[in-house]
Amino acid sequence: MLEFMIEQESVWELLKRTAKPIVLYGMGNGADKILDWCEANEVPVQGVFASDEFVRGQQFRGFTVERYATLKERLGAELLVVLAFASERPEVLARFAQLAQEQEVVAPHLPLFAEEETVSKLWLAKHAEALQYVYERLADEQSRKVFAATLNYKLSGKISYLFDCTTAREDDLLELLAPGPEECYLDLGAYNGDTIEELGRMTSWQWQQVVAVEPDRRNCRKLRALAEELAQRGLAVEVNESGIWDAAGELSFSDSGGRQSTFIGASKKVVPVTTIDIVASGRPVSYIKMDVEGAEVQALTGGVRTITQYKPKLFVAAYHYDVDLFRLPQLIWQLVPDYKIYLRKHPYVPAWELNFVAVASR
């Protein structure tokens, strides 16, 4: 086992052996996947609860959704609580943390995409060499802490690992990337413009140019409205309604209008795709943010010329595939060997909002 792995038992092994009543907190896709696994493995689930404000006597998968207090009265004081939904909202994260002080709480790590192989003891052994290499080469101790905590969480489901390594996103960006008024910024997976506004807050609304790339048509309407508003303040924002890939063309796309619009396993519609090198068109790009819903490898591959020539600061989502924990930094180092790569975990349960930050030696 890897030197930084503390946990030896998977969350699924825990669910099979526990003597405590198992209850689910939350409903939806995550709860469906967990209940499907429990049924297939003959693991009894004895209740489902929701936050008090959402309990209206509704049914979910044959369970009457209860309040936490009611469920404790029925089943006893000691429970194994399985978190079955994701959140980044501070009040919900605080509720998770409070619950973890009262009960044994786990949040099983579930794949974002159906074909993904997720962290297990076998997975850790299979990829041990690559994981150890990246762990040792990361730029600072906090990065290694995040790397180790993420893998221990993904195996065990224990949310304490996530809380222990979480830091504030904008604080990390200011410290590690120090964005300033000189930025030529590519925002890949720009959503509704929230990360353009983030850049504005950090640079006192000064930059050279922003290019926002987003394939979702509804998100793009919001992006264009923001671009028009910023143009009136003399701030340049170019909106490109495309996806980012490793070559120009067209791809099937799941057009959800939210953050999870993706090309992976999609079939809803066909949209144009482009590359970093095409979008940059030789401009001296200084900063690239990419959160492109599982297409990060393809995005980097389509930006070889821009990245190797200008060595821009990179902020790259690392949570869509478990293998991204080692394949993304390895790919970045192949492009620019002297990149210093940091790993940071920002507020979210489960292990979403996990990001690599790469900065070239100057």
Side-chain angles (χ1 to χ4, degrees):
M1 187 64 76
L2 293 154
E3 65 180 49
F4 50 79
M5 288 302 300
I6 298 169
E7 300 298 328
Q8 303 296 318
E9 181 180 52
S10 76
V11 65
W12 310 109
E13 290 170 326
L14 170 65
L15 291 173
K16 285 181 178 180
R17 72 158 177 82
T18 187
K20 297 178 182 179
I22 297 171
V23 297
L24 265 60
Y25 179 13
M27 301 165 281
N29 291 338
D32 276 327
K33 290 178 182 178
I34 294 165
L35 285 171
D36 287 345
W37 181 89
C38 288
E39 289 174 3
N41 289 274
E42 299 182 341
V43 172
V45 174
Q46 298 192 37
V48 174
F49 72 98
S51 302
D52 288 357
E53 61 269 27
F54 295 110
V55 176
R56 302 179 182 87
Q58 64 267 53
Q59 297 288 309
F60 178 75
R61 292 283 295 263
F63 293 93
T64 298
V65 178
E66 301 176 72
R67 289 181 170 83
Y68 172 59
T70 305
L71 192 144
K72 278 201 303 181
E73 289 177 5
R74 179 168 67 84
L75 295 174
E78 289 195 15
L79 306 170
L80 176 55
V81 177
V82 182
L83 300 182
F85 69 103
S87 185
E88 62 183 330
R89 293 168 53 187
E91 68 275 16
V92 177
L93 296 180
R95 193 173 296 163
F96 288 169
Q98 177 62 40
L99 191 59
Q101 291 181 3
E102 301 173 18
Q103 303 287 359
E104 187 175 10
V105 176
V106 293
H109 170 56
L110 300 170
L112 285 173
F113 304 111
E115 75 279 12
E116 183 187 0
E117 181 186 3
T118 56
V119 171
S120 64
K121 285 181 282 190
L122 182 62
W123 185 96
L124 289 164
K126 177 181 176 181
H127 300 295
E129 184 177 353
L131 291 166
Q132 188 68 37
Y133 173 79
V134 171
Y135 173 80
E136 292 175 0
R137 194 173 166 183
L138 288 170
D140 67 353
E141 190 57 38
Q142 178 64 20
S143 299
R144 288 183 284 277
K145 177 180 179 180
V146 174
F147 193 89
T150 298
L151 288 169
N152 278 285
Y153 156 71
K154 287 186 174 187
L155 182 64
S156 70
K158 295 179 181 178
I159 62 173
S160 59
Y161 285 107
L162 301 182
F163 287 120
D164 288 347
C165 72
T166 293
T167 49
R169 176 180 165 117
E170 287 194 19
D171 289 349
D172 288 334
L173 294 177
L174 286 167
E175 177 187 355
L176 300 176
L177 296 175
E182 75 288 347
E183 304 296 354
C184 179
Y185 174 65
L186 300 190
D187 190 348
L188 311 180
Y191 183 45
N192 61 7
D194 58 344
T195 40
I196 297 173
E197 294 181 306
E198 175 183 71
L199 178 69
R201 289 192 297 272
M202 293 187 294
T203 64
S204 299
W205 297 95
Q206 298 178 71
W207 57 69
Q208 292 299 312
Q209 188 167 20
V210 168
V211 182
V213 182
E214 170 60 48
D216 188 293
R217 66 188 188 281
R218 283 165 285 191
N219 291 339
C220 266
R221 282 199 293 269
K222 298 172 184 176
L223 264 177
R224 289 194 175 95
L226 177 63
E228 290 173 5
E229 176 189 329
L230 293 173
Q232 295 174 6
R233 296 160 56 182
L235 293 167
V237 177
E238 175 186 320
V239 177
N240 188 322
E241 189 171 339
S242 301
I244 285 288
W245 203 247
D246 55 13
E250 293 184 330
L251 285 176
S252 296
F253 181 62
S254 174
D255 193 358
S256 70
R259 289 185 181 273
Q260 280 74 49
S261 297
T262 182
F263 296 112
I264 311 302
S267 59
K268 276 191 178 181
K269 62 180 292 188
V270 173
V271 299
V273 291
T274 187
T275 71
I276 288 174
D277 286 339
I278 292 171
V279 170
S281 299
R283 286 178 279 203
V285 174
S286 64
Y287 180 5
I288 301 175
K289 165 252 161 179
M290 63 178 76
D291 188 345
V292 288
E293 303 305 329
E296 285 75 17
V297 166
Q298 291 85 353
L300 289 165
T301 303
V304 170
R305 185 172 66 248
T306 300
I307 293 170
T308 56
Q309 181 175 358
Y310 296 108
K311 299 182 181 180
K313 297 173 283 192
L314 302 177
F315 184 76
V316 182
Y319 60 92
H320 296 106
Y321 289 101
D322 288 352
V323 292
D324 283 347
L325 275 172
F326 58 86
R327 71 174 178 176
L328 287 176
Q330 287 180 320
L331 177 54
I332 292 168
W333 280 319
Q334 286 174 17
L335 297 176
V336 180
D338 67 347
Y339 265 129
K340 292 182 178 180
I341 299 182
Y342 303 83
L343 181 63
R344 293 296 186 264
K345 172 73 180 70
H346 299 131
Y348 224 118
V349 171
W352 300 353
E353 285 304 315
L354 186 70
N355 300 286
F356 283 114
V357 176
V359 182
S361 301
R362 299 296 182 185

